Amino acid sequence: MKKFYDVSLANPFMLGTSQYPSPAVLAKAFERSQASVATVSLRREASNDKAGQDFWKLIQQLNVHILPNTAGCHTVKEAVTTAHMAREVFNTRWIKLEVIGEEDTLQPDVFRLVEAARILNEDGFHVFPYTTEDLVVADRLVDAGCRVLMPWGSPIGSGMGLNNVFGLRALRAHFPDIPLVIDAGLGLPSQAAQAMELGMDAVLLNTAVSKAGDPAMMAEAFALAIRAGQLAHCADPMQVRDMACPSTPILGKAFLD
């Protein structure tokens, strides 16, 4: 497995921490998923806010890597400022960079994203940019210093899965040495398996688990699917054929007149 800024992950599962029914359910979901990374959003709360302190204590007890994000940011200044605040609060150089450009789809503003990524990389951050599957944008992000790319599968929280398999295949082929993380839009474990079968290096999701009837069970289901997809990719699967090919050889078969 590729390293994420010199960090090797035991499990290519990154799980969000928002919208769970309770802190106990969140903790159980992480336990059953064995996720290696927790994404967290910075909230502008007072330093003595008890709810904020309790949440941070819970996250620390998960014993996973913390990936703060700039969720809800629409400008370069807002994203950069939020990233700097997150680095102080969570004591990490990792930052999932989101710069939203369109409200209905929550599609990233790729122009501002590249600009913010360049600034943050120069400031010493390890940037995980939430982007599209566009090859030119990906190239600009790599030029800006990003060593991980996080293309969306489909709009955040939509559950539509991988909307552009061709684009994701092309991204994998063009950037064989860059870790790719499918971020956003996954709703079913089968979609996560498909992402890993394409050669993605990790999967990040939140809503599909936190909004499930049984979040802990769904978290485990995704973990199993991610592992299955990873194994399938490593096993060098058969190629798709245009014609049927018998699995039982005809050579040596008895023929009756």
Side-chain angles (χ1 to χ4, degrees), residues 191-202:
Q191 296 165 353
Q194 182 186 21
M196 298 303 290
E197 288 168 0
L198 291 175
M200 300 297 115
D201 298 290

Side-chain angles (χ1 to χ4, degrees), residues 52-69:
Q53 290 180 347
D54 289 345
F55 175 77
W56 178 223
K57 183 178 180 181
L58 171 62
I59 297 302
Q60 289 175 306
Q61 291 172 346
L62 297 176
N63 194 30
V64 296
H65 295 281
I66 305 300
L67 178 60
N69 65 39

Side-chain angles (χ1 to χ4, degrees), residues 181-230:
V181 182
I182 289 296
D183 176 18
L186 300 184
L188 292 171
S190 57
Q191 296 165 353
Q194 182 186 21
M196 298 303 290
E197 288 168 0
L198 291 175
M200 300 297 115
D201 298 290
V203 164
L204 190 158
L205 57 93
N206 190 153
T207 308
V209 168
S210 65
K211 292 299 185 180
D214 187 330
M217 183 181 294
M218 185 61 77
E220 183 176 355
F222 267 100
L224 293 171
I226 290 168
R227 179 58 177 159
Q230 184 181 42

Side-chain angles (χ1 to χ4, degrees), residues 110-153:
V110 294
F111 303 101
R112 290 173 175 167
L113 177 68
V114 172
E115 183 181 351
R118 189 177 304 280
I119 293 171
L120 291 175
N121 279 305
E122 291 174 353
D123 287 344
F125 284 86
H126 290 167
V127 180
F128 293 65
Y130 163 62
T131 183
T132 66
E133 68 279 11
D134 188 284
L135 293 175
V136 177
V137 174
D139 196 49
R140 296 294 185 273
L141 288 167
V142 172
D143 286 345
C146 297
R147 295 295 173 262
V148 174
L149 297 172
M150 304 184 78
W152 67 346

